[in-house]
Amino acid sequence: MLHRMRGLAHVLVAALVIGERALAVAAGSGDPLHAPECERALAALDAVEESASAPLGRGARSVPRVAASGAGGQAAPAIDQRLAAARRDVARQCLAAREDPPRAGRLAEPAIEVPPVAGARATPSTPPTTMPARIPPVQPPVVITTCDTGGCWTSDGQRLPRLGPTLLGPRGHACSVVGAVVHCP
């Protein structure tokens, strides 16, 4: 009994597979490469290629060579007219059945102008052609030249009044003194 059921299961599976393939063929797969016209054109191309590549001793004609030199300095073989026609027929039957995607025209629409972002700086597309401004020479530090009970004189000719141990600068702020060098903000 178990053996019979297995045999019946195998028969059912085979029937389902065969039926599915038959439905797929009847409905058409939609693939232009499996269409009958394409398969006929491919078979014709194979026959032409076979006759073009047959050895010369079996009645095939030789392929003429074009005078222009190809890669390596050798003359390139000319394409047989029958072979070129068979290739065109295969392309027409197998590839022309599907629609090519529409080509998007890049310049079909005018350019969109966008206002600049507030606060953004425009970057120049080319570097400036002028030379950068010269950096001014470094000034020597201001030093204390002489002092008395009321204040000190500096090397740049200013008088810094003394308020206790602190020297006051021209704006009334305290100056920092490191050794003989003085800095007044």
Side-chain angles (χ1 to χ4, degrees):
M1 177 89 168
L2 184 63
H3 184 64
R4 252 186 185 174
M5 290 178 76
R6 277 191 192 163
L8 184 59
H10 287 292
V11 169
L12 284 175
V13 169
L16 287 175
V17 170
I18 292 171
E20 181 181 342
R21 287 187 184 166
L23 284 175
V25 169
S29 64
D31 186 6
L33 295 178
H34 294 295
E37 299 87 16
C38 177
E39 289 180 355
R40 279 193 295 269
L42 284 170
L45 176 64
D46 287 340
V48 170
E49 285 178 341
E50 185 81 23
S51 68
S53 65
L56 294 177
R58 296 190 185 170
R61 53 190 186 142
S62 66
V63 177
R65 300 220 173 245
V66 176
S69 63
Q74 298 177 356
I79 296 177
D80 186 9
Q81 295 301 321
R82 294 179 307 141
L83 183 59
R87 287 179 179 169
R88 279 193 302 272
D89 189 40
V90 166
R92 185 173 47 255
Q93 296 296 330
C94 299
L95 302 177
R98 67 173 177 81
E99 286 188 31
D100 287 335
R103 298 181 85 179
R106 287 186 75 170
L107 303 177
E109 298 177 4
I112 299 172
E113 291 188 31
V114 179
V117 178
R121 287 189 268 162
T123 58
S125 60
T126 59
T129 57
T130 60
M131 294 295 292
R134 293 194 77 199
I135 299 173
V138 177
Q139 298 294 327
V142 178
V143 293
I144 297 174
T145 56
T146 178
C147 291
D148 55 23
T149 56
C152 297
W153 291 95
T154 61
S155 60
D156 63 351
Q158 290 187 7
R159 171 83 175 160
L160 303 177
R162 183 182 301 273
L163 183 63
T166 306
L167 293 174
L168 298 178
R171 297 185 192 131
H173 298 289
C175 297
S176 63
V177 179
V178 177
V181 178
V182 63
H183 176 71
C184 299

